């Protein structure tokens, strides 16, 4: 009993210097022997006070003594603060009003840390209610309601809550095959394969083996051999992306494109796939023939994430290195090509910090890179660029 008391006193002394304000709504459950779970439903909201963001979340199962909060801008390292109680609200102070911050929280029990929650983000100056105009003197008329400055409308889509869909596990072996007859005998837990070409019988075999199937769909290009190619208006078809019969598309045309992608996702669902990989979703960084911006791409990619989640499928983000920070809350895992070749693997920290899988492939190289990507929690393989079933090499 004396040792437990000393541990509690030490924890209190460590956290006394934290420059933040705790809230209320405490929740404690379970026993000391239970494994700490992940806090859920994290929400970050500007309070209207300069430099301040309020957080609230759902407590995990099990006894919690306090929480640890961390936050960062896209260009900074994480800053960590500890709460003084098991309350599930917290206010972070001293932030830069002009910066957007990502936030995460995890449960603590006498120094034992649970997994980090999913991220949410906010800018202290955003979505805040303007300071009220002082009450007029008797010589001034009272402003009419139309003169009151309205509260700004949020400009960002709210990340989806955790749903009832499958997501891959960090480090799980996978096969990436987009050509040829699907070989279901490869010793992996995940098959990332072309959704349009594979028969239902192959998906059934994958599932009967206890494995999962990811449906490959190119969401950012027009492919002239697809059965639905005639649904793409001429005005949304841009320059060639380098592959025969394939062109970039104008992702600003949401009204034209999202219905097509919804139908493609529905086919994946009907065949029994567990998740979707949306490919070619970084057109704004390429010469597409359209003046695409980062904001255009973000809007399209977030809409694609919703398309998958709305029908109960997990969703993977293919490449789009420059927008990983903004898109991580919306996607369940990532698929990357050649981050070792281009020295970009560390950019996936937003996903790996949230315990999300990275399905990573390098082309036509050896396995010398494996220790570096294993340390990051990646699932790494080496393939040839044509992506037939073989050859394939796995990081051990």
């Amino acid at each position: 009993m004396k040792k437990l008391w000393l541990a509690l006193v030490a924890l209190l002394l460590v956290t006394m210097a934290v420059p933040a304000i705790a809230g209320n709504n405490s929740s404690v459950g379970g026993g000391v022997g239970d494994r700490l779970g992940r806090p859920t439903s994290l929400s970050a909201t500007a309070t209207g006070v300069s430099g301040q963001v309020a957080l609230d979340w759902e407590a995990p199962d099990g006894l919690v003594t306090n929480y640890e909060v961390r936050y960062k801008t896209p260009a900074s390292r994480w800053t960590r603060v500890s709460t003084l109680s098991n309350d599930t609200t917290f206010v972070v102070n001293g932030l830069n009003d002009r910066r957007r911050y990502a936030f995460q929280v995890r449960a603590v029990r006498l120094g034992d840390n649970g997994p980090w929650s999913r991220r949410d983000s906010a800018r202290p100056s955003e979505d805040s209610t303007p300071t009220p105009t002082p009450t007029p003197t008797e010589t001034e008329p009272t402003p009419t309601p139309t003169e009151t400055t309205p509260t700004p409308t949020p400009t960002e889509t709210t990340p989806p809550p955790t749903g009832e869909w499958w997501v891959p596990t960090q480090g799980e072996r996978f096969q990436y095959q987009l050509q040829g007859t699907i070989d279901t005998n490869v010793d992996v837990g995940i098959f990332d394969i072309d959704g349009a070409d594979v028969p239902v019988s192959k998906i059934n075999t994958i599932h009967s083996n206890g494995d999962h199937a990811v449906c490959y769909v190119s969401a950012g290009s027009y492919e002239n051999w697809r059965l639905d190619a005639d649904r793409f208006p001429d005005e949304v078809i841009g320059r060639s992306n380098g592959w025969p019969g394939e062109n970039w598309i104008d992702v600003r045309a949401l009204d034209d494109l999202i219905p097509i992608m919804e139908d493609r996702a529905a086919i994946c669902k009907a065949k029994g796939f567990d998740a979707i990989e949306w490919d070619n979703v970084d057109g704004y960084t390429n010469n597409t023939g359209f003046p695409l911006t980062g904001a255009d791409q973000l809007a399209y990619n977030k809409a694609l994430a919703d398309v998958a989640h709305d029908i109960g499928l997990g969703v993977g983000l293919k490449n789009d290195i420059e927008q990983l920070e903004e898109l991580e809350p919306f996607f369940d895992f990532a698929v990357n090509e050649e981050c070792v070749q281009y020295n970009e693997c560390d950019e996936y920290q937003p996903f790996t910090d949230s315990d999300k899988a990275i399905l990573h492939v390098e082309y036509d190289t050896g396995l010398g890179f494996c220790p570096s990507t294993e340390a990051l929690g990646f699932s790494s393989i080496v393939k040839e660029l044509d992506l037939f079933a073989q050859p394939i090499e796995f990081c051990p």
Side-chain angles (χ1 to χ4, degrees):
M1 186 65 183
K2 182 177 180 181
K3 290 182 177 179
L4 178 60
W5 174 251
L6 290 174
L8 286 170
V9 170
L11 178 63
L12 179 61
L13 290 174
V14 169
T15 56
M16 284 291 286
V18 176
I21 304 170
N24 48 25
N25 297 330
S26 62
S27 176
V28 180
V32 174
D34 298 335
R35 183 178 180 181
L36 279 169
R38 186 195 309 274
T40 58
S41 304
L42 175 65
S43 175
T45 309
T47 65
V49 176
S50 178
Q52 195 176 87
V53 169
L55 308 178
D56 65 82
W57 60 89
E58 296 290 334
D61 293 333
L63 178 66
V64 175
T65 55
N66 64 295
Y67 291 91
E68 185 176 25
V69 171
R70 67 178 183 179
Y71 57 91
K72 69 185 291 293
T73 68
S76 72
R77 295 182 180 274
W78 289 104
T79 296
R80 299 187 182 190
V81 296
S82 295
T83 70
L84 297 176
S85 72
N86 55 16
D87 294 348
T88 57
T89 64
F90 196 78
V91 177
V92 181
N93 292 294
L95 305 176
N96 187 329
D97 284 337
R98 294 177 295 177
R99 296 294 183 90
R100 173 162 291 276
Y101 290 82
F103 297 88
Q104 287 182 291
V105 62
R106 66 181 177 184
V108 179
R109 182 194 299 136
L110 299 178
D112 181 26
N113 299 322
W116 289 106
S117 69
R118 291 177 178 267
R119 295 187 188 192
D120 198 16
S121 63
R123 181 182 290 115
S125 62
E126 189 173 74
D127 306 337
S128 58
T129 303
T131 303
T133 302
T135 303
T137 64
E138 295 182 357
T139 59
E140 298 175 343
T142 302
T144 62
T146 58
E147 293 173 333
T148 304
T149 304
T151 301
T153 301
T155 58
E156 290 215 352
T157 306
T158 302
T162 303
E164 298 300 322
W165 50 74
W166 170 82
V167 297
T169 302
Q170 275 193 354
E172 190 173 4
R173 277 193 172 191
F174 81 106
Q175 162 70 303
Y176 202 20
Q177 182 184 349
L178 300 183
Q179 295 198 75
T181 302
I182 302 301
D183 180 3
T184 58
N185 294 316
V186 180
D187 185 17
V188 297
I190 303 168
F191 289 81
D192 193 338
I193 52 185
D194 193 304
D197 297 340
V198 65
V200 174
S201 60
K202 290 291 184 180
I203 307 302
N204 292 339
T205 300
I206 289 171
H207 286 157
S208 67
N209 292 335
D211 303 322
H212 293 90
V214 175
C215 188
Y216 170 92
V217 179
S218 180
S221 70
Y222 163 83
E223 301 158 301
N224 65 9
W225 66 91
R226 298 293 185 187
L227 294 178
D228 60 1
D230 61 351
R231 294 183 61 185
F232 289 79
D234 290 342
E235 59 268 22
V236 308
I237 302 173
R239 295 178 180 271
S240 170
N241 69 356
W243 293 95
E246 192 168 351
N247 299 73
W248 293 108
I249 56 177
D250 186 353
V251 299
R252 299 171 299 178
L254 296 178
D255 290 343
D256 293 315
L257 299 178
I258 291 303
I260 298 174
M261 300 307 154
E262 287 174 336
D263 289 347
R264 289 183 173 185
I267 292 172
C268 296
K269 179 72 172 181
K271 288 186 173 184
F273 279 94
D274 303 289
I276 296 179
E277 173 211 338
W278 297 116
D279 192 15
N280 292 307
V281 290
D282 55 1
Y284 81 104
T285 67
N286 292 272
N287 185 11
T288 63
F290 304 106
L292 302 181
T293 66
D296 297 329
Q297 194 71 62
L298 283 174
Y300 186 58
N301 292 359
K302 290 176 182 179
L304 291 173
D306 288 343
V307 167
H309 287 149
D310 285 348
I311 58 173
L313 294 177
V315 62
L317 175 67
K318 176 72 165 287
N319 298 327
D320 197 10
I321 300 289
E322 292 82 358
Q323 297 184 327
L324 292 174
E325 180 82 29
E326 293 91 339
L327 291 173
E328 179 274 324
F330 300 86
F331 285 81
D332 304 305
F333 62 99
V335 180
N336 172 267
E337 295 174 298
E338 299 187 290
C339 70
V340 171
Q341 173 71 21
Y342 296 104
N343 195 30
E344 296 172 332
C345 296
D346 288 341
E347 300 298 324
Y348 279 88
Q349 185 179 350
F351 277 76
T352 57
D353 280 352
S354 296
D355 298 325
K356 295 183 179 181
I358 311 298
L359 309 184
H360 163 234
V361 58
E362 294 287 325
Y363 297 119
D364 304 312
T365 186
L367 294 174
F369 65 85
C370 287
S372 63
T373 59
E374 281 185 287
L376 296 172
F378 285 19
S379 303
S380 294
I381 59 175
V382 172
K383 300 275 291 187
E384 293 182 353
L385 192 57
D386 52 20
L387 290 174
F388 282 95
Q390 297 292 338
I392 182 172
E393 293 182 274
F394 301 95
C395 283

